[in-house]
Amino acid sequence: MPDSSRDQSASPARPADRGAPLKQQTDIARAAALIADPSRAVVLKCLADGRPLSAGALAEEAGIGAATASAHLARLVEGGLITVERRGRNRLFRLAGPDVSAALEALAVIAPPLPITSLRQSSRANALHRARSCYDHLAGRLGVALLHGLLERGVLTGHDGVHRPNEAAHDRPSAVGRDLRYALTPGGRATLAAFGLDTDRLAPRRPAVRYCVDWSEHRHHLAGGLGAALATHLFALDWVRWGTGPRVVHLTDAGALGLERTFGVVLPDDGPPRRP
């Protein structure tokens, strides 16, 4: 692997990467206690795709009453894990940021799996593996296939998208990657412009191209400003749609055809039917 593919910008001194957080004096126990309650854990998982939800919707998903949900939400807001905003008479809740989503993903790696006792639970688990959100970008088999397609078409360069634990210095499943660097090529800018994405207008306060180590696929999926913009564009095109479960994303028939023609992305037909 060429040395130039190593991400020299991701040093422990950078506040955005937080370096080695366990060396800081942080109250891990307090954060863990907030997540430890089963109902609050469900609330956080429901918010992990970055979308704001009402207290009623969160209470229904967690299977708890309105008063209980209100108490849990108040604790999560006070603890800094979620934020709340008013829209008219409604209060909408969302994760405080991608760091919270990354922490939940990391806990999912070491947490024992919940028992699957119904066909609905099995279908949801399969759907999450096939295509899901990772905060504001795409993950699962769809996410890693999209990054692979961008590399194959020369839109991105830098690595082959495979996570190799024995070669990793900092990278681990379910976390933002730090060992490697992907870059947008000049030809890639033109390709994305023709697709309707202006890469000069990406969010200026975050890295344009980053990657996460996908916990279910053990490969890389695209994150950063470009990953978020691309996901937003795919939703706008109706190439992907939100599923009924938290974080579940469905690839539409138009999306399957469009992604194959545009980026060479082909998913094996081993999941639930695509949405027409």
Side-chain angles (χ1 to χ4, degrees), residues 24 30 41 89 102 259:
Q24 302 175 9
R30 184 185 181 206
R89 295 183 177 181
L259 285 176

Side-chain angles (χ1 to χ4, degrees), residues 7 9-21 24 99 176-178 207 210:
D7 189 353
S9 64
S11 66
R14 293 182 65 197
D17 290 337
R18 300 202 175 189
Q24 302 175 9
D99 284 351
V176 175
R178 298 177 55 207
R210 299 205 74 173

Side-chain angles (χ1 to χ4, degrees), residues 29-75:
R30 184 185 181 206
L34 286 171
I35 300 172
D37 181 89
S39 295
R40 290 197 293 272
V42 171
V43 167
L44 291 169
K45 286 191 287 186
C46 289
L47 296 173
D49 59 20
R51 290 181 295 170
L53 291 174
S54 67
L58 292 168
E60 182 177 357
E61 188 67 32
I64 54 179
T68 302
S70 180
H72 283 313
L73 291 167
R75 289 197 61 182

